Amino acid sequence: MTSKLNLDFGIVDKARKSAKVIAEDTQKFIDRHTTVAVERTIVRLLGVDGVDDIERPLPNVVVDNIKKGGGLAEGAAFWLGNAMVSLGKSSQEIAEGISKGEIDLVTLPVQNMDKIQEIINVEARKMVDRIRANRADRDRFLTEIGEGPKPYLYVIVATGNIYEDVLQAQAAARQGADIIAVIRTTAQSLLDYVPFGATTEGFGGTYATQENFRIMRKALDEVGVEVGKYIRLCNYCSGLCMPEIAAMGAIERLDVMLNDALYGILFRDINMQRTLVDQYFSRIINGFAGIIINTGEDNYLTTSDAIEEAHTVLASQLINEQFAVLAGLPEEQMGLGHAFEMNPDTEDGFLLELSQAQMAREIFPNAPLKYMPPTKYMTGNIFKGHIQDALFNVVSIMTNQGLQLLGMPTEAIHTPLLQDRALSIENAKYIFNNMRHFGDEIEFKKDGIIQLRAQSVLKEAADLLEDIQEIGIMSTIEQGKFASVTRKMDGGKGLDGVTQKGERYFNPFIPMMLGGK
């Protein structure tokens, strides 16, 4: 790709190398630790599902039993495998026995390690094969019925009732949407368990459950056949159950997952040690399942100034990219995030937004960039808001973005209604069609506003990454260098769910998924 911005790719390479060192240094910590969420994910992937008589998810029951007995360091795969060899029961039967008080995993006699690993690998392979088959099903749908052109038109539903969500999602698909995101109910990211079954009473969104995933996947497959293109399903793989939700999405064939390495730390005050360990396994699962991850750099610009802090977005994108590389994600599945969030009263603000978006495209040429709409400066004036969204759409088509979360004229007023989505889809389709190849036809003035802005942001990002390389990502977060938010390494929610791995620890899914593409 020829740089329209006249970027110095020597600086890009330097920044990327710094990000790689940062990620690899952090990975040393990740490799030594596990969390209750990682272990519950392993339990789910080994076939345990359902709830007990007081609605506790059985994966929580199993891991709570292990943790209470002081065995978390050895991991759920070891203890479940040991019980399967010792008792001759399935993982589901063992989980149900624990819930009834009939089995205590850590008190069972320890069996031969080779037999434990052998029985676990057989069970793990079943789920790995199921997820691989889901990926093949997606490929078959894409081959047989096709998909919409990029940027994919990406809209949200958020009624709280999965059955109402289905109606709204199918309506949006008929209007032209390519991706449907089901917003999670308020504060689900802070729950240290995943609710079970179909739900109808979410607030500000709908609970992420495996059954809700299944219901929506089925509905979108049906409407996709009707409209003649594959409709992608998106949900939110973040918070205290990040890897569990990744696993459920892989099992039910989701296509896109919000999955950022730092978002939960900065915006939900989840402990950074917990989040960094959880994001690794969640990304391995997403990578193997062919799911596009979306990172959350757009959120930085809701708490800090989009012009002054633009370099932190680029720095975070580069760090997220390197964490994703370590988890085996190809570039084509890295939906690195950014946003159209500058104050609309800024003189030449459109030029600065265009510069930022073009810079992201040139630095990450193969990534399906996730571009987020104006929200911070939406006022409730629906007419001005619709124009702001139109300018956002113009930048997107000019810079070849990948996933376009459509802005809504009522962004500052209420959760979008059917007609809001229809207007936003119509807006984007009109602009994308009429300006389809506009970006191919233009160049930018040498040393003009657009070029100089991008070059300045790149240099600032490279300098920031060099500083982070010196002190590490955790100290950087403690100093509040991202989104102007300060978090402590030992603070936040979920730290008590982190432990160092023991000598007998193993996770069968990591080698199978990293080596099984």
Side-chain angles (χ1 to χ4, degrees):
M1 176 189 292
T2 302
S3 176
K4 294 182 180 182
L5 299 171
N6 197 25
L7 294 177
D8 182 342
F9 277 86
I11 297 177
V12 174
D13 291 342
K14 175 191 169 194
R16 191 166 262 127
K17 285 176 184 175
S18 291
K20 182 179 180 181
V21 172
I22 293 162
E24 288 177 344
D25 181 60
T26 310
Q27 190 66 36
K28 295 173 186 174
F29 174 86
I30 293 168
D31 289 341
R32 295 194 305 267
H33 292 80
T34 188
T35 74
V36 289
V38 168
E39 300 311 310
R40 293 195 303 254
T41 305
I42 292 170
V43 171
R44 286 180 182 276
L45 290 171
L46 289 172
V48 175
D49 197 12
V51 294
D52 66 9
D53 56 0
I54 58 171
E55 300 295 317
R56 289 183 303 169
L58 289 179
N60 283 68
V61 170
V62 172
V63 173
D64 287 350
N65 177 256
I66 295 169
K67 185 181 178 188
K68 182 178 179 182
L72 191 62
E74 309 302 333
F78 170 77
W79 292 113
L80 267 181
N82 185 62
M84 291 165 77
V85 173
S86 179
L87 304 175
K89 295 178 181 291
S90 70
S91 57
Q92 182 71 20
E93 289 170 333
I94 290 166
E96 291 170 357
I98 295 169
S99 74
K100 296 173 184 175
E102 299 169 355
I103 298 173
D104 184 354
L105 287 178
V106 298
T107 63
L108 293 173
V110 174
Q111 305 297 308
N112 177 272
M113 192 64 181
D114 289 339
K115 290 184 178 179
I116 291 171
Q117 291 186 332
E118 180 182 359
I119 199 167
I120 285 296
N121 284 335
V122 168
E123 294 305 309
R125 178 62 60 189
K126 293 176 185 176
M127 189 59 77
V128 167
D129 289 345
R130 177 175 172 180
I131 294 170
R132 184 181 286 111
N134 282 345
R135 185 167 184 164
D137 284 344
R138 181 192 298 116
D139 291 342
R140 178 176 55 80
F141 270 111
L142 288 168
T143 299
E144 291 179 357
I145 65 174
E147 61 178 341
K150 289 183 180 176
Y152 298 135
L153 305 184
Y154 171 2
V155 301
I156 63 173
V157 296
T159 71
N161 182 326
I162 187 60
Y163 301 107
E164 178 63 25
D165 284 345
V166 162
L167 297 176
Q168 294 207 12
Q170 289 185 325
R174 294 184 183 107
Q175 290 161 354
D178 300 299
I179 301 175
I180 305 295
V182 183
I183 299 292
R184 285 190 302 183
T185 190
T186 299
Q188 185 177 348
S189 61
L190 302 182
L191 297 180
D192 216 345
Y193 68 94
V194 180
F196 181 77
T199 65
T200 59
E201 295 181 344
F203 177 77
T206 303
Y207 284 99
T209 74
Q210 189 169 331
E211 178 63 9
N212 284 348
F213 290 177
R214 187 195 67 78
I215 290 168
M216 186 59 79
R217 174 75 274 157
K218 180 174 182 289
L220 295 184
D221 285 347
E222 290 171 354
V223 77
V225 171
E226 176 189 327
V227 301
K229 66 177 180 181
Y230 185 67
I231 308 298
R232 285 175 165 83
L233 175 56
C234 173
N235 212 283
Y236 294 75
C237 169
S238 60
L240 289 168
C241 296
M242 184 190 295
E244 287 185 271
I245 292 175
M248 297 189 311
I251 292 168
E252 300 300 337
R253 192 172 29 92
L254 270 70
D255 308 284
V256 183
M257 279 285 193
L258 278 290
N259 190 200
D260 188 274
L262 306 180
Y263 171 85
I265 303 166
L266 299 173
F267 299 101
R268 293 295 179 265
D269 194 19
I270 295 171
N271 175 261
M272 66 176 76
Q273 299 176 53
R274 169 79 174 261
T275 299
L276 289 167
V277 175
D278 284 349
Q279 64 82 28
Y280 176 60
F281 191 30
S282 69
R283 289 181 172 195
I284 288 174
I285 296 167
N286 285 327
F288 180 74
I291 292 171
I292 296 170
I293 67 163
N294 286 347
T295 62
E297 283 81 7
D298 54 282
N299 293 281
Y300 295 8
L301 306 183
T302 63
T303 57
S304 55
D305 184 78
I307 297 175
E308 296 297 324
E309 300 298 322
H311 65 290
T312 66
V313 170
L314 176 56
S316 179
Q317 287 172 324
L318 286 160
I319 291 170
N320 257 311
E321 176 192 45
Q322 293 305 311
F323 277 130
V325 167
L326 291 173
L329 270 158
E331 289 178 83
E332 292 76 14
Q333 288 174 236
M334 298 182 195
L336 301 169
H338 59 139
F340 188 98
E341 284 284 24
M342 295 178 188
N343 188 329
D345 296 331
T346 302
E347 184 176 44
D348 290 324
F350 180 84
L351 277 65
L352 302 182
E353 294 281 17
L354 181 59
S355 174
Q356 188 83 8
Q358 180 67 26
M359 179 184 64
R361 174 43 68 213
E362 292 187 9
I363 293 174
F364 307 103
N366 299 314
L369 299 173
K370 180 203 69 169
Y371 201 23
M372 297 292 280
T375 58
K376 186 174 181 178
Y377 292 101
M378 296 292 268
T379 64
N381 177 341
I382 61 172
F383 303 105
K384 181 178 179 180
H386 208 44
I387 294 169
Q388 288 173 257
D389 289 334
L391 292 178
F392 162 64
N393 291 332
V394 169
V395 170
S396 182
I397 196 64
M398 288 178 68
T399 59
N400 191 28
Q401 299 299 307
L403 288 72
Q404 180 85 347
L405 182 61
L406 299 184
M408 302 287 154
T410 53
E411 190 84 49
I413 305 173
H414 57 66
T415 301
L417 304 174
L418 289 174
Q419 60 266 33
D420 302 325
R421 289 194 205 92
L423 285 170
S424 296
I425 292 170
E426 183 180 47
N427 179 331
K429 287 170 71 175
Y430 168 61
I431 290 170
F432 289 176
N433 182 59
N434 275 267
M435 300 184 69
R436 178 63 60 187
H437 298 102
F438 185 64
D440 300 334
E441 295 291 318
I442 62 169
E443 297 177 351
F444 300 138
K445 177 182 176 182
K446 180 174 172 53
D447 295 332
I449 293 172
I450 294 173
Q451 284 197 359
L452 292 178
R453 167 65 180 175
Q455 293 162 14
S456 172
V457 171
L458 171 59
K459 184 181 183 305
E460 285 186 83
D463 290 345
L464 174 59
L465 286 165
E466 193 170 33
D467 291 344
I468 298 171
Q469 182 180 339
E470 289 295 318
I471 65 174
I473 192 68
M474 294 191 188
S475 294
T476 299
I477 295 169
E478 286 193 316
Q479 292 178 19
K481 292 191 176 182
F482 288 117
S484 303
V485 174
T486 301
R487 301 297 185 203
K488 296 296 183 184
M489 186 166 68
D490 294 328
K493 305 167 186 70
L495 176 60
D496 63 341
V498 182
T499 192
Q500 194 159 327
K501 293 175 181 175
E503 292 183 4
R504 294 182 294 197
Y505 184 89
F506 71 101
N507 179 341
F509 296 100
I510 290 179
M512 287 185 186
M513 290 181 173
L514 279 180
K517 293 182 179 63

